[in-house]
Amino acid sequence: MERYDIAIIGTGPAGLSAAIYAARGGLKTIVFEKGLIGGQIIVTADVENYPGFNENLSGFEIMEKMRLQALKFDAVIKEEQVTGIGFEGLCKIIETDENQYRVKSIILATGAHPRKLNVPGEDRFIGRGVSYCATCDGALYRNKIVAVNGGGDSAVEEALFLTRFAEKVYIIHRRDALRAVHAIQQRAFNNPKIKIIWDTVIHEVNGTDQVKSLTLFNKKTETISALQVDGLFVYIGIIPNNHLFESRIELDTQGFIVTNEYMETNIPGVYAAGDIRQKLLRQVVTATSDGAIAAFAAEKWIEENEESFAGHYES
């Protein structure tokens, strides 16, 4: 059984930031990723709001820089799927589809994923007109026409945010009333840039290289129409990737991990970072901050318990 000081599950911005800080701090560090290294951001064509870059970089370029930086400090990245985690005892066990590992501390950076419409064209145009984050991509649509799908607080708030950039913002909602709180609704109703399309669902996302239009279906009139847009923002929910630990880690009502300011979970030696956490803002910059804090806190926890590890770690 291979042994490491710290295991990080996930290679998004939070996971790789944690790996950089942990490995640079002298911890023997292993990182696990079942899919593409870099997390969801790698499908983003242009990242404008990550500090330190005057020119736009793609999500892939940013994450490749982080990956190489983690490797420079001797972090080990394993493209293995974690199938089980043993949280019991001072030392933890990581099981993958290929091996078992004994570690002193774990950072959970498994992220979350947006709930999709699952309509034709949606996957094809992700990063090319289809987005799930107005804060990330809104500035790319200056003086353009966009649509927001959804009717809850997040959808309406993001539609309002998009009016700072877009010429016109359509809110497409499957019902005849929004679910957002009254105050947010009123702001949307009073904004001249916003138009709400009621009782309607999206049947298809259309375009060539970029999104050009949406095929809409009105549930009341049962008619099909086309809406010309330059972008689509989908806000029908976000799903935490918590299946590995949902019965053992404290979660909020939506399934996100509850931590304190040190990224500590309810289990000693286990930390969480990035989109899997209960938090206000899910962005690259907040994820990297979470990862750095989690790694630093884990390093201190390992140091404080070093004598106790003697009999557990090698057994």
Side-chain angles (χ1 to χ4, degrees):
M1 185 182 295
E2 295 185 42
R3 291 168 169 79
Y4 289 85
D5 291 321
I6 190 165
I8 300 162
I9 304 176
T11 61
L16 289 182
S17 175
I20 291 166
Y21 272 76
R24 187 172 181 270
L27 298 179
K28 187 178 180 184
T29 303
I30 187 167
V31 190
F32 296 100
E33 177 56 66
K34 67 177 181 179
L36 294 173
I37 294 173
Q40 290 188 74
I41 191 179
I42 62 173
V43 301
T44 301
D46 292 291
V47 178
E48 287 191 324
N49 58 352
Y50 190 68
F53 298 98
N54 289 327
E55 74 284 6
N56 289 358
L57 294 180
S58 69
F60 176 83
E61 288 173 313
I62 290 175
M63 297 316 300
E64 179 64 7
K65 290 176 183 292
M66 288 190 192
R67 183 186 72 85
L68 294 174
Q69 194 173 6
L71 294 176
K72 181 179 76 171
F73 294 118
D74 296 325
V76 174
I77 299 177
K78 294 275 190 178
E79 294 184 43
E80 299 177 15
Q81 181 169 352
V82 176
T83 56
I85 306 173
F87 291 118
E88 300 75 16
L90 190 62
C91 286
K92 323 300 180 189
I93 303 296
I94 302 285
E95 294 183 354
T96 74
D97 50 3
E98 297 183 25
N99 209 338
Q100 282 191 342
Y101 304 85
R102 186 184 295 274
V103 300
K104 298 174 182 176
S105 182
I106 296 173
I107 297 176
L108 302 169
T110 51
H113 61 279
R115 192 182 302 278
K116 293 185 177 182
L117 295 170
N118 292 319
V119 298
E122 179 180 17
D123 286 343
R124 176 186 170 195
F125 291 108
I126 291 175
R128 294 186 294 139
V130 172
S131 175
Y132 304 88
C133 178
T135 309
C136 309
D137 300 328
L140 302 175
Y141 293 89
R142 294 181 188 276
N143 303 315
K144 295 186 177 181
I145 299 172
V146 298
V148 173
N149 187 229
D153 288 354
S154 294
V156 180
E157 285 180 335
E158 297 303 274
L160 287 162
F161 175 79
L162 286 166
T163 62
R164 302 181 190 180
F165 311 102
E167 175 185 326
K168 188 77 176 178
V169 178
Y170 292 97
I171 296 177
I172 301 169
H173 188 42
R174 62 186 300 118
R175 299 182 177 87
D176 59 3
L178 298 174
R179 292 180 290 108
V181 298
H182 179 74
I184 298 174
Q185 290 190 39
Q186 288 305 121
R187 288 171 56 204
F189 295 150
N190 294 332
N191 192 308
K193 285 189 174 183
I194 291 179
K195 179 178 180 180
I196 302 175
I197 302 176
W198 303 106
D199 303 308
T200 297
V201 295
I202 298 173
H203 265 201
E204 188 169 1
V205 183
N206 311 299
T208 50
D209 295 330
Q210 296 281 328
V211 170
K212 295 297 183 185
S213 69
L214 305 173
T215 301
L216 306 181
F217 176 74
N218 186 293
K219 296 169 62 182
K220 281 192 173 179
T221 63
E222 297 187 347
T223 56
I224 292 175
S225 61
L227 180 67
Q228 304 298 312
V229 297
D230 300 296
L232 169 65
F233 291 81
V234 180
Y235 281 95
I236 55 174
I238 183 170
I239 304 170
N241 300 326
N242 63 15
H243 64 282
L244 284 170
F245 45 80
E246 59 182 326
S247 62
R248 292 167 291 168
I249 297 286
E250 182 184 355
L251 307 175
D252 68 10
T253 55
Q254 294 180 307
F256 294 96
I257 298 175
V258 176
T259 72
N260 61 17
E261 61 183 312
Y262 304 111
M263 308 298 140
E264 294 171 322
T265 70
N266 60 303
I267 298 179
V270 179
Y271 302 81
D275 286 1
I276 188 61
R277 282 185 62 228
Q278 178 191 64
K279 58 192 298 185
L280 174 65
L281 182 64
R282 291 183 170 87
Q283 293 281 280
V284 180
V285 69
T286 61
T288 55
S289 174
D290 286 357
I293 294 169
F296 184 79
E299 179 185 351
K300 296 304 178 186
W301 185 83
I302 291 171
E303 288 176 359
E304 292 168 1
N305 291 276
E306 199 59 57
E307 291 185 6
S308 301
F309 282 122
H312 296 80
Y313 187 58
E314 299 300 331
S315 61

mmCIF file of all heavy atoms in Angstrom, residues 176-213:
data_model
loop_
_atom_site.group_PDB
_atom_site.id
_atom_site.type_symbol
_atom_site.label_atom_id
_atom_site.label_comp_id
_atom_site.label_asym_id
_atom_site.label_seq_id
_atom_site.Cartn_x
_atom_site.Cartn_y
_atom_site.Cartn_z
ATOM 1 N N ASP A 176 -45.642 30.147 -15.615
ATOM 2 C CA ASP A 176 -46.198 31.489 -15.847
ATOM 3 C C ASP A 176 -45.909 32.434 -14.694
ATOM 4 O O ASP A 176 -46.495 33.525 -14.601
ATOM 5 C CB ASP A 176 -47.707 31.421 -16.111
ATOM 6 C CG ASP A 176 -48.466 30.789 -14.950
ATOM 7 O OD1 ASP A 176 -47.835 30.460 -13.910
ATOM 8 O OD2 ASP A 176 -49.700 30.626 -15.078
ATOM 9 N N ALA A 177 -45.011 32.034 -13.795
ATOM 10 C CA ALA A 177 -44.595 32.892 -12.690
ATOM 11 C C ALA A 177 -43.184 32.503 -12.278
ATOM 12 O O ALA A 177 -42.824 31.315 -12.310
ATOM 13 C CB ALA A 177 -45.553 32.756 -11.507
ATOM 14 N N LEU A 178 -42.385 33.496 -11.909
ATOM 15 C CA LEU A 178 -41.017 33.221 -11.468
ATOM 16 C C LEU A 178 -41.027 32.655 -10.048
ATOM 17 O O LEU A 178 -41.942 32.894 -9.260
ATOM 18 C CB LEU A 178 -40.192 34.506 -11.498
ATOM 19 C CG LEU A 178 -40.013 35.171 -12.870
ATOM 20 C CD1 LEU A 178 -39.295 36.518 -12.709
ATOM 21 C CD2 LEU A 178 -39.231 34.265 -13.816
ATOM 22 N N ARG A 179 -39.974 31.914 -9.714
ATOM 23 C CA ARG A 179 -39.827 31.365 -8.362
ATOM 24 C C ARG A 179 -38.923 32.235 -7.498
ATOM 25 O O ARG A 179 -38.797 31.997 -6.297
ATOM 26 C CB ARG A 179 -39.256 29.949 -8.443
ATOM 27 C CG ARG A 179 -40.213 28.942 -9.069
ATOM 28 C CD ARG A 179 -39.611 27.557 -9.133
ATOM 29 N NE ARG A 179 -38.525 27.494 -10.118
ATOM 30 C CZ ARG A 179 -37.248 27.402 -9.815
ATOM 31 N NH1 ARG A 179 -36.846 27.385 -8.561
ATOM 32 N NH2 ARG A 179 -36.333 27.324 -10.774
ATOM 33 N N ALA A 180 -38.264 33.225 -8.094
ATOM 34 C CA ALA A 180 -37.365 34.100 -7.340
ATOM 35 C C ALA A 180 -38.147 34.913 -6.306
ATOM 36 O O ALA A 180 -39.361 35.112 -6.447
ATOM 37 C CB ALA A 180 -36.641 35.041 -8.295
ATOM 38 N N VAL A 181 -37.443 35.374 -5.279
ATOM 39 C CA VAL A 181 -38.105 36.179 -4.256
ATOM 40 C C VAL A 181 -38.646 37.457 -4.891
ATOM 41 O O VAL A 181 -38.146 37.932 -5.910
ATOM 42 C CB VAL A 181 -37.138 36.515 -3.089
ATOM 43 C CG1 VAL A 181 -36.665 35.243 -2.402
ATOM 44 C CG2 VAL A 181 -35.963 37.338 -3.572
ATOM 45 N N HIS A 182 -39.676 38.011 -4.239
ATOM 46 C CA HIS A 182 -40.423 39.130 -4.827
ATOM 47 C C HIS A 182 -39.525 40.313 -5.194
ATOM 48 O O HIS A 182 -39.668 40.895 -6.276
ATOM 49 C CB HIS A 182 -41.508 39.575 -3.849
ATOM 50 C CG HIS A 182 -42.317 40.730 -4.342
ATOM 51 N ND1 HIS A 182 -43.275 40.605 -5.330
ATOM 52 C CD2 HIS A 182 -42.291 42.054 -3.997
ATOM 53 C CE1 HIS A 182 -43.820 41.773 -5.567
ATOM 54 N NE2 HIS A 182 -43.250 42.680 -4.784
ATOM 55 N N ALA A 183 -38.600 40.671 -4.312
ATOM 56 C CA ALA A 183 -37.759 41.853 -4.557
ATOM 57 C C ALA A 183 -36.914 41.683 -5.814
ATOM 58 O O ALA A 183 -36.741 42.627 -6.601
ATOM 59 C CB ALA A 183 -36.860 42.116 -3.347
ATOM 60 N N ILE A 184 -36.384 40.469 -6.026
ATOM 61 C CA ILE A 184 -35.571 40.210 -7.218
ATOM 62 C C ILE A 184 -36.442 40.236 -8.463
ATOM 63 O O ILE A 184 -36.057 40.774 -9.503
ATOM 64 C CB ILE A 184 -34.837 38.859 -7.077
ATOM 65 C CG1 ILE A 184 -33.891 38.888 -5.876
ATOM 66 C CG2 ILE A 184 -34.053 38.530 -8.352
ATOM 67 C CD1 ILE A 184 -33.242 37.555 -5.572
ATOM 68 N N GLN A 185 -37.651 39.664 -8.351
ATOM 69 C CA GLN A 185 -38.574 39.694 -9.483
ATOM 70 C C GLN A 185 -38.868 41.127 -9.911
ATOM 71 O O GLN A 185 -38.863 41.444 -11.106
ATOM 72 C CB GLN A 185 -39.890 39.003 -9.116
ATOM 73 C CG GLN A 185 -39.807 37.503 -8.958
ATOM 74 C CD GLN A 185 -41.185 36.886 -8.834
ATOM 75 O OE1 GLN A 185 -42.128 37.316 -9.515
ATOM 76 N NE2 GLN A 185 -41.317 35.898 -7.987
ATOM 77 N N GLN A 186 -39.137 41.979 -8.950
ATOM 78 C CA GLN A 186 -39.492 43.364 -9.269
ATOM 79 C C GLN A 186 -38.353 44.086 -9.983
ATOM 80 O O GLN A 186 -38.584 44.874 -10.906
ATOM 81 C CB GLN A 186 -39.867 44.113 -7.987
ATOM 82 C CG GLN A 186 -41.222 43.688 -7.421
ATOM 83 C CD GLN A 186 -42.341 43.815 -8.448
ATOM 84 O OE1 GLN A 186 -43.014 42.846 -8.782
ATOM 85 N NE2 GLN A 186 -42.534 45.026 -8.969
ATOM 86 N N ARG A 187 -37.133 43.804 -9.578
ATOM 87 C CA ARG A 187 -35.986 44.403 -10.258
ATOM 88 C C ARG A 187 -35.932 43.963 -11.713
ATOM 89 O O ARG A 187 -35.602 44.754 -12.603
ATOM 90 C CB ARG A 187 -34.694 44.029 -9.526
ATOM 91 C CG ARG A 187 -34.514 44.736 -8.187
ATOM 92 C CD ARG A 187 -33.346 44.158 -7.431
ATOM 93 N NE ARG A 187 -32.126 44.212 -8.220
ATOM 94 C CZ ARG A 187 -31.087 43.407 -8.026
ATOM 95 N NH1 ARG A 187 -31.127 42.474 -7.084
ATOM 96 N NH2 ARG A 187 -30.005 43.532 -8.773
ATOM 97 N N ALA A 188 -36.254 42.695 -11.951
ATOM 98 C CA ALA A 188 -36.253 42.187 -13.330
ATOM 99 C C ALA A 188 -37.390 42.812 -14.139
ATOM 100 O O ALA A 188 -37.202 43.231 -15.291
ATOM 101 C CB ALA A 188 -36.372 40.670 -13.327
ATOM 102 N N PHE A 189 -38.582 42.882 -13.537
ATOM 103 C CA PHE A 189 -39.734 43.461 -14.244
ATOM 104 C C PHE A 189 -39.488 44.928 -14.612
ATOM 105 O O PHE A 189 -39.967 45.415 -15.642
ATOM 106 C CB PHE A 189 -40.992 43.356 -13.378
ATOM 107 C CG PHE A 189 -41.451 41.948 -13.119
ATOM 108 C CD1 PHE A 189 -42.114 41.627 -11.942
ATOM 109 C CD2 PHE A 189 -41.230 40.939 -14.043
ATOM 110 C CE1 PHE A 189 -42.543 40.339 -11.700
ATOM 111 C CE2 PHE A 189 -41.658 39.640 -13.813
ATOM 112 C CZ PHE A 189 -42.313 39.337 -12.636
ATOM 113 N N ASN A 190 -38.727 45.616 -13.763
ATOM 114 C CA ASN A 190 -38.499 47.049 -13.973
ATOM 115 C C ASN A 190 -37.282 47.346 -14.847
ATOM 116 O O ASN A 190 -37.024 48.513 -15.152
ATOM 117 C CB ASN A 190 -38.325 47.751 -12.621
ATOM 118 C CG ASN A 190 -39.596 47.723 -11.793
ATOM 119 O OD1 ASN A 190 -40.695 47.664 -12.339
ATOM 120 N ND2 ASN A 190 -39.449 47.749 -10.475
ATOM 121 N N ASN A 191 -36.551 46.309 -15.229
ATOM 122 C CA ASN A 191 -35.354 46.527 -16.044
ATOM 123 C C ASN A 191 -35.734 46.500 -17.528
ATOM 124 O O ASN A 191 -36.210 45.475 -18.027
ATOM 125 C CB ASN A 191 -34.312 45.451 -15.743
ATOM 126 C CG ASN A 191 -32.956 45.791 -16.328
ATOM 127 O OD1 ASN A 191 -32.827 46.090 -17.513
ATOM 128 N ND2 ASN A 191 -31.923 45.732 -15.504
ATOM 129 N N PRO A 192 -35.525 47.589 -18.250
ATOM 130 C CA PRO A 192 -35.953 47.646 -19.659
ATOM 131 C C PRO A 192 -35.186 46.690 -20.575
ATOM 132 O O PRO A 192 -35.652 46.411 -21.684
ATOM 133 C CB PRO A 192 -35.692 49.108 -20.050
ATOM 134 C CG PRO A 192 -34.638 49.579 -19.094
ATOM 135 C CD PRO A 192 -34.900 48.866 -17.814
ATOM 136 N N LYS A 193 -34.046 46.210 -20.114
ATOM 137 C CA LYS A 193 -33.264 45.298 -20.950
ATOM 138 C C LYS A 193 -33.749 43.848 -20.860
ATOM 139 O O LYS A 193 -33.347 43.010 -21.664
ATOM 140 C CB LYS A 193 -31.785 45.342 -20.556
ATOM 141 C CG LYS A 193 -31.039 46.570 -21.018
ATOM 142 C CD LYS A 193 -29.546 46.393 -20.776
ATOM 143 C CE LYS A 193 -28.739 47.533 -21.367
ATOM 144 N NZ LYS A 193 -27.279 47.294 -21.183
ATOM 145 N N ILE A 194 -34.610 43.557 -19.884
ATOM 146 C CA ILE A 194 -35.048 42.180 -19.664
ATOM 147 C C ILE A 194 -36.442 41.955 -20.224
ATOM 148 O O ILE A 194 -37.364 42.750 -19.996
ATOM 149 C CB ILE A 194 -35.026 41.836 -18.159
ATOM 150 C CG1 ILE A 194 -33.591 41.776 -17.657
ATOM 151 C CG2 ILE A 194 -35.738 40.510 -17.894
ATOM 152 C CD1 ILE A 194 -33.464 41.470 -16.178
ATOM 153 N N LYS A 195 -36.584 40.877 -20.949
ATOM 154 C CA LYS A 195 -37.903 40.423 -21.402
ATOM 155 C C LYS A 195 -38.075 38.970 -20.970
ATOM 156 O O LYS A 195 -37.184 38.141 -21.179
ATOM 157 C CB LYS A 195 -38.036 40.527 -22.922
ATOM 158 C CG LYS A 195 -39.401 40.044 -23.420
ATOM 159 C CD LYS A 195 -39.563 40.181 -24.923
ATOM 160 C CE LYS A 195 -40.926 39.687 -25.364
ATOM 161 N NZ LYS A 195 -41.113 39.804 -26.842
ATOM 162 N N ILE A 196 -39.233 38.654 -20.404
ATOM 163 C CA ILE A 196 -39.490 37.299 -19.915
ATOM 164 C C ILE A 196 -40.383 36.564 -20.906
ATOM 165 O O ILE A 196 -41.422 37.083 -21.340
ATOM 166 C CB ILE A 196 -40.132 37.329 -18.525
ATOM 167 C CG1 ILE A 196 -39.218 38.073 -17.541
ATOM 168 C CG2 ILE A 196 -40.378 35.901 -18.028
ATOM 169 C CD1 ILE A 196 -39.803 38.255 -16.169
ATOM 170 N N ILE A 197 -39.961 35.372 -21.256
ATOM 171 C CA ILE A 197 -40.730 34.506 -22.145
ATOM 172 C C ILE A 197 -41.328 33.403 -21.277
ATOM 173 O O ILE A 197 -40.618 32.525 -20.785
ATOM 174 C CB ILE A 197 -39.852 33.924 -23.265
ATOM 175 C CG1 ILE A 197 -39.215 35.054 -24.081
ATOM 176 C CG2 ILE A 197 -40.667 32.997 -24.163
ATOM 177 C CD1 ILE A 197 -38.253 34.567 -25.157
ATOM 178 N N TRP A 198 -42.658 33.464 -21.078
ATOM 179 C CA TRP A 198 -43.335 32.573 -20.142
ATOM 180 C C TRP A 198 -43.726 31.232 -20.796
ATOM 181 O O TRP A 198 -43.836 31.123 -22.028
ATOM 182 C CB TRP A 198 -44.603 33.227 -19.611
ATOM 183 C CG TRP A 198 -44.418 34.551 -18.942
ATOM 184 C CD1 TRP A 198 -44.736 35.783 -19.437
ATOM 185 C CD2 TRP A 198 -43.862 34.789 -17.641
ATOM 186 N NE1 TRP A 198 -44.432 36.777 -18.535
ATOM 187 C CE2 TRP A 198 -43.891 36.190 -17.413
ATOM 188 C CE3 TRP A 198 -43.351 33.954 -16.644
ATOM 189 C CZ2 TRP A 198 -43.440 36.767 -16.238
ATOM 190 C CZ3 TRP A 198 -42.898 34.528 -15.465
ATOM 191 C CH2 TRP A 198 -42.941 35.911 -15.256
ATOM 192 N N ASP A 199 -43.947 30.243 -19.932
ATOM 193 C CA ASP A 199 -44.533 28.947 -20.338
ATOM 194 C C ASP A 199 -43.756 28.282 -21.478
ATOM 195 O O ASP A 199 -44.345 27.620 -22.343
ATOM 196 C CB ASP A 199 -45.990 29.143 -20.791
ATOM 197 C CG ASP A 199 -46.835 29.789 -19.718
ATOM 198 O OD1 ASP A 199 -46.832 29.288 -18.575
ATOM 199 O OD2 ASP A 199 -47.488 30.814 -20.014
ATOM 200 N N THR A 200 -42.444 28.465 -21.467
ATOM 201 C CA THR A 200 -41.655 28.045 -22.629
ATOM 202 C C THR A 200 -40.432 27.239 -22.202
ATOM 203 O O THR A 200 -39.805 27.528 -21.189
ATOM 204 C CB THR A 200 -41.218 29.282 -23.440
ATOM 205 O OG1 THR A 200 -42.388 29.951 -23.931
ATOM 206 C CG2 THR A 200 -40.320 28.898 -24.603
ATOM 207 N N VAL A 201 -40.118 26.233 -23.005
ATOM 208 C CA VAL A 201 -38.907 25.433 -22.785
ATOM 209 C C VAL A 201 -38.044 25.482 -24.038
ATOM 210 O O VAL A 201 -38.537 25.740 -25.147
ATOM 211 C CB VAL A 201 -39.243 23.966 -22.436
ATOM 212 C CG1 VAL A 201 -39.973 23.881 -21.101
ATOM 213 C CG2 VAL A 201 -40.067 23.315 -23.548
ATOM 214 N N ILE A 202 -36.767 25.249 -23.867
ATOM 215 C CA ILE A 202 -35.832 25.215 -24.990
ATOM 216 C C ILE A 202 -35.782 23.794 -25.539
ATOM 217 O O ILE A 202 -35.557 22.844 -24.801
ATOM 218 C CB ILE A 202 -34.429 25.672 -24.547
ATOM 219 C CG1 ILE A 202 -34.489 27.124 -24.060
ATOM 220 C CG2 ILE A 202 -33.417 25.516 -25.680
ATOM 221 C CD1 ILE A 202 -33.186 27.616 -23.445
ATOM 222 N N HIS A 203 -35.985 23.663 -26.830
ATOM 223 C CA HIS A 203 -35.940 22.349 -27.475
ATOM 224 C C HIS A 203 -34.594 22.069 -28.132
ATOM 225 O O HIS A 203 -34.202 20.916 -28.272
ATOM 226 C CB HIS A 203 -37.060 22.221 -28.505
ATOM 227 C CG HIS A 203 -38.272 21.550 -27.960
ATOM 228 N ND1 HIS A 203 -39.228 20.945 -28.740
ATOM 229 C CD2 HIS A 203 -38.692 21.367 -26.674
ATOM 230 C CE1 HIS A 203 -40.187 20.439 -27.984
ATOM 231 N NE2 HIS A 203 -39.882 20.689 -26.731
ATOM 232 N N GLU A 204 -33.895 23.145 -28.566
ATOM 233 C CA GLU A 204 -32.622 22.926 -29.252
ATOM 234 C C GLU A 204 -31.804 24.213 -29.245
ATOM 235 O O GLU A 204 -32.355 25.315 -29.251
ATOM 236 C CB GLU A 204 -32.860 22.474 -30.702
ATOM 237 C CG GLU A 204 -31.597 22.035 -31.423
ATOM 238 C CD GLU A 204 -31.873 21.345 -32.751
ATOM 239 O OE1 GLU A 204 -33.067 21.226 -33.121
ATOM 240 O OE2 GLU A 204 -30.904 20.939 -33.414
ATOM 241 N N VAL A 205 -30.486 24.037 -29.196
ATOM 242 C CA VAL A 205 -29.546 25.151 -29.314
ATOM 243 C C VAL A 205 -28.917 25.054 -30.700
ATOM 244 O O VAL A 205 -28.362 24.006 -31.062
ATOM 245 C CB VAL A 205 -28.460 25.090 -28.222
ATOM 246 C CG1 VAL A 205 -27.539 26.303 -28.330
ATOM 247 C CG2 VAL A 205 -29.095 25.017 -26.837
ATOM 248 N N ASN A 206 -28.968 26.147 -31.463
ATOM 249 C CA ASN A 206 -28.548 26.107 -32.859
ATOM 250 C C ASN A 206 -27.377 27.051 -33.132
ATOM 251 O O ASN A 206 -27.197 28.058 -32.445
ATOM 252 C CB ASN A 206 -29.713 26.501 -33.770
ATOM 253 C CG ASN A 206 -30.985 25.753 -33.432
ATOM 254 O OD1 ASN A 206 -31.025 24.530 -33.509
ATOM 255 N ND2 ASN A 206 -32.014 26.476 -33.032
ATOM 256 N N GLY A 207 -26.594 26.707 -34.148
ATOM 257 C CA GLY A 207 -25.493 27.553 -34.565
ATOM 258 C C GLY A 207 -24.532 26.799 -35.449
ATOM 259 O O GLY A 207 -24.794 25.653 -35.843
ATOM 260 N N THR A 208 -23.425 27.457 -35.786
ATOM 261 C CA THR A 208 -22.363 26.805 -36.554
ATOM 262 C C THR A 208 -21.133 26.690 -35.649
ATOM 263 O O THR A 208 -20.950 25.690 -34.983
ATOM 264 C CB THR A 208 -22.051 27.602 -37.831
ATOM 265 O OG1 THR A 208 -21.850 28.986 -37.483
ATOM 266 C CG2 THR A 208 -23.196 27.509 -38.818
ATOM 267 N N ASP A 209 -20.309 27.733 -35.604
ATOM 268 C CA ASP A 209 -19.183 27.754 -34.675
ATOM 269 C C ASP A 209 -19.594 28.290 -33.304
ATOM 270 O O ASP A 209 -18.983 27.967 -32.293
ATOM 271 C CB ASP A 209 -18.044 28.617 -35.229
ATOM 272 C CG ASP A 209 -17.449 28.036 -36.499
ATOM 273 O OD1 ASP A 209 -17.476 26.802 -36.637
ATOM 274 O OD2 ASP A 209 -16.983 28.819 -37.338
ATOM 275 N N GLN A 210 -20.616 29.147 -33.285
ATOM 276 C CA GLN A 210 -21.114 29.755 -32.055
ATOM 277 C C GLN A 210 -22.636 29.648 -32.031
ATOM 278 O O GLN A 210 -23.274 29.415 -33.060
ATOM 279 C CB GLN A 210 -20.704 31.235 -31.990
ATOM 280 C CG GLN A 210 -19.217 31.483 -31.921
ATOM 281 C CD GLN A 210 -18.652 31.259 -30.534
ATOM 282 O OE1 GLN A 210 -19.325 31.486 -29.535
ATOM 283 N NE2 GLN A 210 -17.406 30.823 -30.455
ATOM 284 N N VAL A 211 -23.210 29.837 -30.853
ATOM 285 C CA VAL A 211 -24.671 29.838 -30.738
ATOM 286 C C VAL A 211 -25.255 30.983 -31.564
ATOM 287 O O VAL A 211 -24.766 32.116 -31.501
ATOM 288 C CB VAL A 211 -25.096 29.981 -29.263
ATOM 289 C CG1 VAL A 211 -26.595 30.237 -29.159
ATOM 290 C CG2 VAL A 211 -24.732 28.737 -28.470
ATOM 291 N N LYS A 212 -26.287 30.667 -32.325
ATOM 292 C CA LYS A 212 -26.960 31.682 -33.143
ATOM 293 C C LYS A 212 -28.441 31.827 -32.792
ATOM 294 O O LYS A 212 -29.012 32.910 -32.929
ATOM 295 C CB LYS A 212 -26.836 31.330 -34.629
ATOM 296 C CG LYS A 212 -25.409 31.364 -35.157
ATOM 297 C CD LYS A 212 -24.812 32.761 -35.065
ATOM 298 C CE LYS A 212 -23.408 32.803 -35.649
ATOM 299 N NZ LYS A 212 -22.772 34.131 -35.462
ATOM 300 N N SER A 213 -29.061 30.726 -32.354
ATOM 301 C CA SER A 213 -30.492 30.807 -32.045
ATOM 302 C C SER A 213 -30.903 29.641 -31.149
ATOM 303 O O SER A 213 -30.173 28.661 -30.984
ATOM 304 C CB SER A 213 -31.333 30.792 -33.326
ATOM 305 O OG SER A 213 -31.264 29.512 -33.942
#
